[in-house]
Amino acid sequence: MKILYAIQGTGNGHLSRAMDIVPCLKRRGKVDVLVSGIQGDLPLPFPIRYKLNGLSFIFGRSGGVDLWKTLIKSSVKRLVKEIKALPVEDYDIVINDFEPVSAWACYMKNQPAIALSHQSAVLAPNSPKPGHSDMIGRLVLKNYAPSSSQYGFHFESYSENIFTPVIRSQVRQHDVSDKGHYTVYLPAYDDKRLYKRLSEYKDVRWEVFSKHNRRALNFKNISIQPVNNEKFIASMAHSSGVLCGAGFETPAEALYMGKKLLVVPMRNQYEQHLNGAALEMMGIPVIGSLKSKHKPVISDWLQNGRPITVNYPDVTQQIADMIVDKHTMDIPHKWNIENQYESA
């Protein structure tokens, strides 16, 4: 069996999940891996057959996605060329983690595309939604990487096709303790803004992992270092708590490790606001930015925050087996993008 597993390379969440999913798929057939995007930091421990530009969202430096840089870095002509050239018809199964090139290639060639992503879960009818609506954000999530079948991962199993998070083996096997520091990963903020805000808490030791710096720096009670997979996991495992964006993998791993959590959803990133709504329902504090008006929430979290108990069993192989068994005999059919998430 020939399987194409396509990964969104913007950020590190999709890449970290792939570290456990790809070995499970390899037990079922020959797997080719596709990665598109230019904002990831994690090296993958297996060969990548297709490395494409795709369509990346570019992180800003003040708490959100930089829409202007995203537009500048985007090339519709190049994207269309990549879509047309990708031979999705050569594969028995195409599994997609919010990756646009393979998704649209399947759509254009009327081939089944199986979504196995967090985005499928947040769009599902039973998943928590924020108090405000975002028509453009929802439109982007629905059409960025269309699919013919949807399966998803979320902080809780809100419906039949939504599973609890894939916690990578590196995290499951790591020893956990509390050495008193706080781990920070806020890639949409630059180091200057983080230092300005975090330095106000003089008695707190912060370990910041930065996308904007290539060398380690220390300023009084704050250490700043480039993103490094092993160091980040170790820092989180031995922390008192984790301050991060409202992505999916990092909050899920922090919850699994029993760490108290505070999240800051990115601006112009509807998915993170959907995540924020789910985390808030679980009792996790969510703030809109690092502005001074949110200082009381941060202070209360530092002094009184408590971890939330979760149950995230290791069922990745069972999920992979179920999807492969169910979709081995898929045949091309007429797509319906508008209603693709109604039964997710």
Side-chain angles (χ1 to χ4, degrees):
M1 182 180 296
K2 293 183 66 178
I3 302 170
L4 177 64
Y5 183 66
I7 312 163
Q8 166 62 253
T10 299
N12 296 321
H14 308 270
L15 298 172
S16 66
R17 183 160 55 236
M19 292 181 184
D20 275 44
I21 291 179
V22 168
C24 292
L25 292 174
K26 284 186 174 182
R27 297 186 181 103
R28 299 303 306 269
K30 181 182 181 300
V31 180
D32 284 345
V33 175
L34 180 155
V35 178
S36 76
I38 57 174
Q39 286 274 283
D41 299 298
L42 298 182
L44 292 175
F46 38 74
I48 299 173
R49 174 70 183 273
Y50 306 98
K51 183 70 181 77
L52 308 176
N53 282 278
L55 184 60
S56 287
F57 296 105
I58 307 300
F59 298 140
R61 292 175 174 265
S62 58
V65 172
D66 190 322
L67 296 177
W68 179 243
K69 283 189 177 180
T70 296
L71 289 173
I72 291 175
K73 293 282 187 179
S74 301
S75 169
V76 174
K77 183 178 179 180
R78 182 179 59 205
L79 178 63
V80 171
K81 184 178 179 180
E82 289 179 343
I83 291 170
K84 289 182 176 180
L86 186 64
V88 291
E89 66 276 12
D90 292 347
Y91 293 90
D92 299 300
I93 295 179
V94 178
I95 301 176
N96 182 299
D97 189 349
F98 202 56
E99 193 288 309
V101 178
S102 62
W104 282 102
C106 286
Y107 177 76
M108 291 179 66
K109 298 177 182 181
N110 199 30
Q111 297 291 319
I114 303 162
L116 180 61
S117 66
H118 174 57
Q119 287 73 19
S120 292
V122 298
L123 287 173
N126 294 337
S127 295
K129 304 296 186 290
H132 67 280
S133 60
D134 184 343
M135 296 291 290
I136 295 177
R138 182 171 176 81
L139 188 67
V140 170
L141 277 180
K142 288 187 68 173
N143 294 281
Y144 182 84
S147 57
S148 54
S149 301
Q150 299 82 39
Y151 302 89
F153 301 100
H154 214 322
F155 297 112
E156 295 183 6
S157 179
Y158 298 105
S159 63
E160 181 182 2
N161 284 349
I162 296 178
F163 313 107
T164 52
V166 173
I167 304 298
R168 47 187 165 154
S169 301
Q170 287 175 291
V171 173
R172 288 188 181 276
Q173 297 167 6
H174 210 290
D175 60 305
V176 177
S177 66
D178 185 348
K179 295 186 177 179
H181 67 267
Y182 286 80
T183 301
V184 181
Y185 181 56
L186 290 166
Y189 285 92
D190 63 18
D191 300 343
K192 183 178 179 180
R193 286 179 172 84
L194 289 174
Y195 176 74
K196 179 181 178 181
R197 183 58 62 219
L198 299 179
S199 61
E200 295 178 6
Y201 307 92
K202 301 184 186 304
D203 296 328
V204 177
R205 286 191 293 117
W206 302 99
E207 293 190 358
V208 177
F209 289 82
S210 170
K211 287 185 70 72
H212 309 287
N213 204 318
R214 296 303 173 190
R215 61 191 181 95
L217 302 170
N218 288 287
F219 301 98
K220 297 181 180 178
N221 60 321
I222 302 172
S223 71
I224 299 176
Q225 57 188 300
V227 176
N228 175 282
N229 183 45
E230 287 73 22
K231 290 181 179 179
F232 178 72
I233 293 174
S235 175
M236 191 161 54
H238 300 304
S239 70
S240 295
V242 177
L243 169 61
C244 62
F248 181 55
E249 276 69 24
T250 297
E253 291 175 352
L255 290 170
Y256 176 82
M257 288 180 166
K259 303 301 178 179
K260 64 181 182 179
L261 179 65
L262 174 64
V263 300
V264 188
M266 281 187 199
R267 295 196 317 274
N268 304 320
Q269 232 282 25
Y270 183 50
E271 178 198 340
Q272 293 218 356
H273 291 272
L274 290 164
N275 290 340
L279 290 168
E280 209 161 25
M281 284 184 62
M282 297 170 66
I284 305 299
V286 179
I287 57 177
S289 69
L290 291 181
K291 292 181 178 179
S292 57
K293 65 181 180 180
H294 298 295
K295 187 174 180 178
V297 178
I298 300 174
S299 297
D300 180 68
W301 175 71
L302 289 169
Q303 295 175 14
N304 305 309
R306 295 289 182 271
I308 303 296
T309 301
V310 297
N311 179 27
Y312 293 159
D314 186 2
V315 293
T316 309
Q317 187 65 59
Q318 292 94 309
I319 294 169
D321 290 341
M322 180 271 293
I323 290 174
V324 171
D325 291 340
K326 187 173 181 180
H327 294 277
T328 299
M329 300 304 293
D330 268 1
I331 58 174
H333 62 285
K334 186 175 177 60
W335 279 53
N336 187 342
I337 292 179
E338 182 62 31
N339 297 321
Q340 64 177 314
Y341 293 100
E342 286 189 355
S343 60

